[in-house]
Amino acid sequence: MKIVTICGAGIGSSGILKVNAERVLQRLDIEADVVAADIGSVRAVAEDAQVILTSAEFVDAIGPTFADVIVIVNHFDQQELAEKLERALG
Amino acid sequence: MTLPPIPDDAIVLGATASTWQEAVRTAGSALVRSGAARPGYSDAMVRMIDEHGPYVVIAPGLALAHARPDDQVLATGLAVVTLATPVEFGHPHNDPVRVVLGLAVDSVGGHLESIADLANVFNDTSVIVVLADAASPDEVRSLMGVSSL
């Protein structure tokens, strides 16, 4: 499974989401590749992704996708990440 | 520990800013003073938010200002700015902001270890409130587990 984290520059917030998503997935015993990307390359990077994690600001810019788009409010809150990931993957 | 050192020059405590632009530029100036960035990096950080919205406010009270690695970045560096009065970035959930981190990275590939360390610090989100009231650069460094050089 592939999960893509998206932000404006592909550094910073998408990196935080990647790192914390990997920690949560490990705890949930779910195997996935988590890739951080900038909004400009979302189409190419997320083509084969099942889940896109991002901030509310980027939802419209992501455009049509087969992936579940999950909006994260507090990027450091592993409980929020865990609940939203479980809902999307369960 | 892979977070870059945070010298005194990169820390501004109790800064006054009446707009988010001023708050972000204060972090940019701190990155310039500490040798991590050129002055144009402040403009680039403000432009990121103008372009994409207040997504850099990634947790309640905390903004992680940054721009792309480009010729305005001289070295990977982190700046910490605490605000005397909280500033609105326009974020629907995480406003108002009391702590602005300024992040400059010299390459996209090399920054994930630092980011993981940043996550280690802030996964305990109560740190943000304590950091906002830090009284000295040493207290900031101790909360974040970094050195001064």
Side-chain angles (χ1 to χ4, degrees), chain B:
Chain B
M1 186 49 67
T2 51
L3 274 179
I6 309 182
D8 285 358
D9 278 347
I11 298 175
V12 186
L13 300 179
T16 311
S18 47
T19 62
W20 66 260
Q21 287 90 342
E22 274 179 43
V24 169
R25 287 182 188 285
T26 302
S29 303
L31 286 170
V32 171
R33 270 198 312 278
S34 62
R38 295 194 166 97
Y41 194 69
S42 291
D43 301 325
M45 291 198 296
V46 168
R47 227 170 18 245
M48 284 295 294
I49 303 171
D50 273 336
E51 206 174 305
H52 299 295
Y55 78 93
V56 298
V57 189
I58 57 175
L62 180 82
L64 176 60
H66 64 279
R68 289 187 174 80
D70 66 6
D71 60 357
Q72 294 302 311
V73 177
L74 300 169
T76 293
L78 193 60
V80 179
V81 175
T82 65
L83 298 169
T85 309
V87 168
E88 302 275 337
F89 274 62
H91 194 280
H93 300 285
N94 294 334
D95 266 344
V97 169
R98 287 207 58 203
V99 178
V100 180
L101 303 177
L103 174 68
V105 300
D106 55 11
S107 72
V108 171
H111 87 297
L112 275 170
E113 281 189 7
S114 301
I115 286 294
D117 282 342
L118 211 53
N120 288 340
V121 174
F122 290 104
N123 279 352
D124 173 4
T125 41
S126 67
V127 167
I128 297 167
V129 179
V130 183
L131 189 60
D133 288 327
S136 68
D138 280 337
E139 194 182 342
V140 169
R141 284 187 284 264
S142 144
L143 284 164
M144 298 188 64
V146 298
S147 65
S148 59
L149 39 90

